Amino acid sequence: GAGVSQSPSNKVTEKGKDVELRCDPISGHTALYWYRQRLGQGLEFLIYFQGNSAPDKSGLPSDRFSAERTGESVSTLTIQRTQQEDSAVYLCASSPGTSGREGPSYEQYFGPGTRLTVT
Amino acid sequence: KQEVTQIPAALSVPEGENLVLNCSFTDSAIYNLQWFRQDPGKGLTSLLLIQSSQREQTSGRLNASLDKSSGRSTLYIAASQPGDSATYLCAVSHRSNDYKLSFGAGTTVTVRA
């Protein structure tokens, strides 16, 4: 079946502009995640959605970053007033659920990412 | 805060040689550990997931071990092939937030034909 898709694949924007990044998770996956990967660094967790629960926004680096998810489908990550340090690859992942303390672990399935360059 | 370190940062080996990739983490209170593969321009592909109660997982030529108490995991790739060339990432999830993965910076592997 179709995997996680993201659009655009590449985005170049001028400093100070707003950008929207889109993620389409695997159908039926209730959990959705956004990560950021800066050049030469590991992935950083940004935000997590699980069903209708309140999202975990603890990884968002500033109030310029926000994300929305419609039900259990598409998610958009918005960065307002972009800065050069926002340049990175933004990766989205989805999973069938999350386990809690007693259940099995669910793998996260990743999309190809959006490469954002702020000039 | 969980810190994940991967050594070496890069590795180049001739085809057929076995690969050994190391991952260490500072907080042993993990829920699970995952190894991923990342190819240029593509997303991550999950290779192996080890629950905190397990000591190893195997899939084909891949074997991953976990020593939670010492905060270490090792990924072994037997009889390497040029197609194994990629960046390998290690990630751990915390016991109370199993969805939030902490990643290492990765080991970039080149297998020479």
Side-chain angles (χ1 to χ4, degrees), chain A residues 63-99:
Chain A
D63 59 8
R64 296 186 295 104
F65 288 72
S66 63
E68 300 291 333
R69 188 182 187 194
T70 306
E72 294 185 351
S73 61
V74 172
S75 175
T76 56
L77 176 69
T78 301
I79 309 173
Q80 296 178 311
R81 304 181 303 282
T82 52
Q83 305 293 314
Q84 287 185 332
E85 63 262 27
D86 299 333
S87 296
V89 176
Y90 289 82
L91 290 155
C92 174
S94 69
S95 68
T98 52
S99 316

Short mmCIF file of all heavy atoms in Angstrom, two decimals, chain A residues 63-99:
data_model
loop_
_atom_site.label_atom_id
_atom_site.label_comp_id
_atom_site.label_asym_id
_atom_site.label_seq_id
_atom_site.Cartn_x
_atom_site.Cartn_y
_atom_site.Cartn_z
N ASP A 63 7.43 29.59 19.22
CA ASP A 63 6.02 29.81 18.90
C ASP A 63 5.81 30.15 17.43
O ASP A 63 4.68 30.33 16.99
CB ASP A 63 5.41 30.88 19.81
CG ASP A 63 6.12 32.21 19.70
OD1 ASP A 63 6.99 32.36 18.82
OD2 ASP A 63 5.81 33.09 20.49
N ARG A 64 6.88 30.20 16.64
CA ARG A 64 6.71 30.39 15.20
C ARG A 64 6.29 29.09 14.54
O ARG A 64 5.85 29.09 13.39
CB ARG A 64 8.02 30.89 14.57
CG ARG A 64 8.48 32.25 15.05
CD ARG A 64 9.70 32.73 14.28
NE ARG A 64 10.88 31.90 14.50
CZ ARG A 64 11.36 31.02 13.61
NH1 ARG A 64 10.75 30.84 12.45
NH2 ARG A 64 12.44 30.31 13.89
N PHE A 65 6.44 28.00 15.26
CA PHE A 65 6.11 26.67 14.72
C PHE A 65 4.74 26.23 15.25
O PHE A 65 4.46 26.35 16.45
CB PHE A 65 7.15 25.62 15.16
CG PHE A 65 8.47 25.73 14.48
CD1 PHE A 65 9.34 26.78 14.77
CD2 PHE A 65 8.87 24.78 13.54
CE1 PHE A 65 10.58 26.87 14.15
CE2 PHE A 65 10.11 24.87 12.92
CZ PHE A 65 10.95 25.92 13.22
N SER A 66 3.90 25.71 14.36
CA SER A 66 2.64 25.14 14.77
C SER A 66 2.28 24.01 13.82
O SER A 66 2.82 23.92 12.71
CB SER A 66 1.53 26.21 14.76
OG SER A 66 1.33 26.70 13.44
N ALA A 67 1.41 23.13 14.27
CA ALA A 67 0.98 22.02 13.43
C ALA A 67 -0.47 21.70 13.72
O ALA A 67 -0.96 21.89 14.84
CB ALA A 67 1.85 20.79 13.65
N GLU A 68 -1.14 21.25 12.68
CA GLU A 68 -2.54 20.85 12.79
C GLU A 68 -2.69 19.48 12.16
O GLU A 68 -1.94 19.08 11.27
CB GLU A 68 -3.44 21.85 12.06
CG GLU A 68 -3.37 23.27 12.59
CD GLU A 68 -3.98 23.41 13.97
OE1 GLU A 68 -4.88 22.60 14.30
OE2 GLU A 68 -3.56 24.31 14.72
N ARG A 69 -3.70 18.78 12.63
CA ARG A 69 -4.07 17.52 12.00
C ARG A 69 -5.57 17.41 11.96
O ARG A 69 -6.26 17.63 12.97
CB ARG A 69 -3.48 16.32 12.74
CG ARG A 69 -3.70 15.02 11.97
CD ARG A 69 -3.18 13.82 12.70
NE ARG A 69 -3.28 12.64 11.84
CZ ARG A 69 -3.16 11.39 12.27
NH1 ARG A 69 -2.91 11.14 13.54
NH2 ARG A 69 -3.26 10.38 11.43
N THR A 70 -6.09 17.04 10.81
CA THR A 70 -7.53 16.87 10.63
C THR A 70 -7.89 15.42 10.88
O THR A 70 -7.55 14.54 10.08
CB THR A 70 -7.95 17.26 9.19
OG1 THR A 70 -7.48 18.57 8.91
CG2 THR A 70 -9.45 17.21 9.06
N GLY A 71 -8.55 15.16 11.99
CA GLY A 71 -8.93 13.78 12.33
C GLY A 71 -7.73 12.88 12.37
O GLY A 71 -6.75 13.16 13.07
N GLU A 72 -7.78 11.81 11.61
CA GLU A 72 -6.64 10.89 11.55
C GLU A 72 -6.06 10.91 10.15
O GLU A 72 -5.57 9.89 9.65
CB GLU A 72 -7.08 9.48 11.96
CG GLU A 72 -7.49 9.39 13.41
CD GLU A 72 -7.81 7.97 13.86
OE1 GLU A 72 -7.86 7.08 12.99
OE2 GLU A 72 -7.99 7.77 15.07
N SER A 73 -6.07 12.08 9.51
CA SER A 73 -5.54 12.15 8.15
C SER A 73 -4.44 13.19 8.07
O SER A 73 -3.51 13.20 8.88
CB SER A 73 -6.67 12.43 7.17
OG SER A 73 -7.28 13.66 7.46
N VAL A 74 -4.57 14.06 7.10
CA VAL A 74 -3.51 14.98 6.73
C VAL A 74 -3.08 15.88 7.90
O VAL A 74 -3.90 16.29 8.72
CB VAL A 74 -3.99 15.87 5.56
CG1 VAL A 74 -3.01 16.99 5.26
CG2 VAL A 74 -4.23 15.01 4.33
N SER A 75 -1.77 16.19 7.92
CA SER A 75 -1.24 17.15 8.88
C SER A 75 -0.45 18.21 8.14
O SER A 75 0.17 17.94 7.11
CB SER A 75 -0.34 16.45 9.90
OG SER A 75 0.26 17.39 10.77
N THR A 76 -0.49 19.43 8.66
CA THR A 76 0.34 20.50 8.12
C THR A 76 1.19 21.09 9.24
O THR A 76 0.71 21.30 10.36
CB THR A 76 -0.50 21.62 7.49
OG1 THR A 76 -1.42 22.11 8.46
CG2 THR A 76 -1.26 21.13 6.28
N LEU A 77 2.44 21.32 8.92
CA LEU A 77 3.37 21.99 9.82
C LEU A 77 3.60 23.38 9.25
O LEU A 77 3.99 23.51 8.09
CB LEU A 77 4.68 21.21 9.92
CG LEU A 77 5.80 21.84 10.76
CD1 LEU A 77 5.44 21.83 12.24
CD2 LEU A 77 7.12 21.10 10.54
N THR A 78 3.35 24.40 10.05
CA THR A 78 3.50 25.78 9.60
C THR A 78 4.63 26.45 10.35
O THR A 78 4.73 26.33 11.58
CB THR A 78 2.20 26.57 9.83
OG1 THR A 78 1.13 25.94 9.10
CG2 THR A 78 2.35 28.00 9.34
N ILE A 79 5.49 27.11 9.61
CA ILE A 79 6.57 27.89 10.22
C ILE A 79 6.35 29.34 9.78
O ILE A 79 6.36 29.65 8.59
CB ILE A 79 7.96 27.42 9.77
CG1 ILE A 79 8.10 25.90 9.98
CG2 ILE A 79 9.04 28.16 10.56
CD1 ILE A 79 9.40 25.33 9.42
N GLN A 80 6.14 30.21 10.76
CA GLN A 80 5.92 31.61 10.47
C GLN A 80 7.24 32.39 10.58
O GLN A 80 8.12 32.03 11.36
CB GLN A 80 4.91 32.20 11.47
CG GLN A 80 3.53 31.57 11.36
CD GLN A 80 2.57 32.15 12.40
OE1 GLN A 80 2.90 32.22 13.59
NE2 GLN A 80 1.40 32.56 11.95
N ARG A 81 7.35 33.42 9.78
CA ARG A 81 8.51 34.32 9.83
C ARG A 81 9.81 33.50 9.84
O ARG A 81 10.62 33.57 10.78
CB ARG A 81 8.43 35.22 11.07
CG ARG A 81 7.12 36.02 11.15
CD ARG A 81 7.08 36.91 12.37
NE ARG A 81 7.25 36.20 13.62
CZ ARG A 81 6.31 35.49 14.24
NH1 ARG A 81 5.11 35.39 13.70
NH2 ARG A 81 6.56 34.89 15.39
N THR A 82 10.00 32.73 8.81
CA THR A 82 11.12 31.79 8.78
C THR A 82 12.47 32.48 8.99
O THR A 82 12.68 33.63 8.56
CB THR A 82 11.16 31.02 7.45
OG1 THR A 82 11.12 31.95 6.36
CG2 THR A 82 10.02 30.04 7.34
N GLN A 83 13.36 31.76 9.64
CA GLN A 83 14.73 32.19 9.90
C GLN A 83 15.69 31.20 9.24
O GLN A 83 15.31 30.06 8.96
CB GLN A 83 15.00 32.25 11.41
CG GLN A 83 14.03 33.10 12.19
CD GLN A 83 14.17 34.58 11.83
OE1 GLN A 83 15.27 35.10 11.76
NE2 GLN A 83 13.04 35.24 11.60
N GLN A 84 16.93 31.62 9.04
CA GLN A 84 17.89 30.75 8.38
C GLN A 84 18.13 29.47 9.18
O GLN A 84 18.37 28.41 8.58
CB GLN A 84 19.19 31.50 8.12
CG GLN A 84 19.08 32.53 7.00
CD GLN A 84 20.40 33.18 6.65
OE1 GLN A 84 21.28 33.31 7.49
NE2 GLN A 84 20.52 33.60 5.41
N GLU A 85 18.04 29.55 10.49
CA GLU A 85 18.27 28.34 11.30
C GLU A 85 17.13 27.32 11.17
O GLU A 85 17.25 26.20 11.69
CB GLU A 85 18.47 28.70 12.78
CG GLU A 85 17.30 29.34 13.45
CD GLU A 85 17.41 30.86 13.51
OE1 GLU A 85 18.09 31.44 12.63
OE2 GLU A 85 16.83 31.44 14.44
N ASP A 86 16.04 27.72 10.49
CA ASP A 86 14.96 26.77 10.25
C ASP A 86 15.29 25.84 9.08
O ASP A 86 14.57 24.86 8.84
CB ASP A 86 13.65 27.49 9.95
CG ASP A 86 13.18 28.38 11.09
OD1 ASP A 86 13.54 28.09 12.26
OD2 ASP A 86 12.48 29.37 10.83
N SER A 87 16.33 26.15 8.34
CA SER A 87 16.73 25.30 7.21
C SER A 87 17.05 23.90 7.71
O SER A 87 17.91 23.73 8.59
CB SER A 87 17.95 25.89 6.49
OG SER A 87 17.64 27.14 5.90
N ALA A 88 16.37 22.92 7.14
CA ALA A 88 16.51 21.54 7.60
C ALA A 88 15.64 20.66 6.71
O ALA A 88 14.90 21.16 5.86
CB ALA A 88 16.08 21.39 9.05
N VAL A 89 15.73 19.36 6.95
CA VAL A 89 14.77 18.42 6.36
C VAL A 89 13.72 18.13 7.42
O VAL A 89 14.06 17.77 8.56
CB VAL A 89 15.44 17.12 5.90
CG1 VAL A 89 14.39 16.13 5.38
CG2 VAL A 89 16.48 17.40 4.81
N TYR A 90 12.46 18.30 7.05
CA TYR A 90 11.36 18.05 7.97
C TYR A 90 10.72 16.72 7.59
O TYR A 90 10.24 16.54 6.47
CB TYR A 90 10.35 19.19 7.93
CG TYR A 90 10.92 20.44 8.56
CD1 TYR A 90 11.76 21.29 7.83
CD2 TYR A 90 10.69 20.74 9.91
CE1 TYR A 90 12.34 22.40 8.42
CE2 TYR A 90 11.26 21.85 10.50
CZ TYR A 90 12.08 22.67 9.75
OH TYR A 90 12.66 23.77 10.35
N LEU A 91 10.75 15.79 8.52
CA LEU A 91 10.26 14.43 8.28
C LEU A 91 8.99 14.17 9.06
O LEU A 91 8.86 14.57 10.22
CB LEU A 91 11.32 13.41 8.71
CG LEU A 91 12.58 13.38 7.82
CD1 LEU A 91 13.76 12.84 8.60
CD2 LEU A 91 12.33 12.52 6.60
N CYS A 92 8.08 13.51 8.41
CA CYS A 92 6.82 13.10 9.02
C CYS A 92 6.82 11.58 9.12
O CYS A 92 7.37 10.88 8.26
CB CYS A 92 5.67 13.59 8.16
SG CYS A 92 4.04 13.04 8.69
N ALA A 93 6.21 11.06 10.16
CA ALA A 93 6.08 9.62 10.33
C ALA A 93 4.68 9.30 10.86
O ALA A 93 4.03 10.15 11.45
CB ALA A 93 7.13 9.08 11.29
N SER A 94 4.24 8.08 10.61
CA SER A 94 2.97 7.64 11.21
C SER A 94 3.13 6.22 11.73
O SER A 94 4.05 5.50 11.34
CB SER A 94 1.82 7.73 10.20
OG SER A 94 1.94 6.76 9.16
N SER A 95 2.25 5.84 12.63
CA SER A 95 2.26 4.48 13.16
C SER A 95 0.82 4.06 13.47
O SER A 95 -0.05 4.92 13.65
CB SER A 95 3.15 4.37 14.40
OG SER A 95 2.60 5.08 15.48
N PRO A 96 0.57 2.75 13.54
CA PRO A 96 -0.79 2.27 13.78
C PRO A 96 -1.34 2.71 15.13
O PRO A 96 -2.54 2.71 15.35
CB PRO A 96 -0.65 0.76 13.71
CG PRO A 96 0.59 0.51 12.93
CD PRO A 96 1.50 1.65 13.26
N GLY A 97 -0.47 3.02 16.07
CA GLY A 97 -0.88 3.48 17.38
C GLY A 97 0.35 3.68 18.22
O GLY A 97 1.47 3.71 17.70
N THR A 98 0.15 3.83 19.50
CA THR A 98 1.26 3.82 20.43
C THR A 98 0.89 2.88 21.57
O THR A 98 -0.29 2.61 21.80
CB THR A 98 1.58 5.21 20.98
OG1 THR A 98 0.39 5.79 21.49
CG2 THR A 98 2.15 6.09 19.89
N SER A 99 1.89 2.39 22.26
CA SER A 99 1.71 1.20 23.06
C SER A 99 1.35 1.46 24.51
O SER A 99 0.68 0.66 25.13
CB SER A 99 2.98 0.37 23.03
OG SER A 99 3.46 0.30 21.72
#
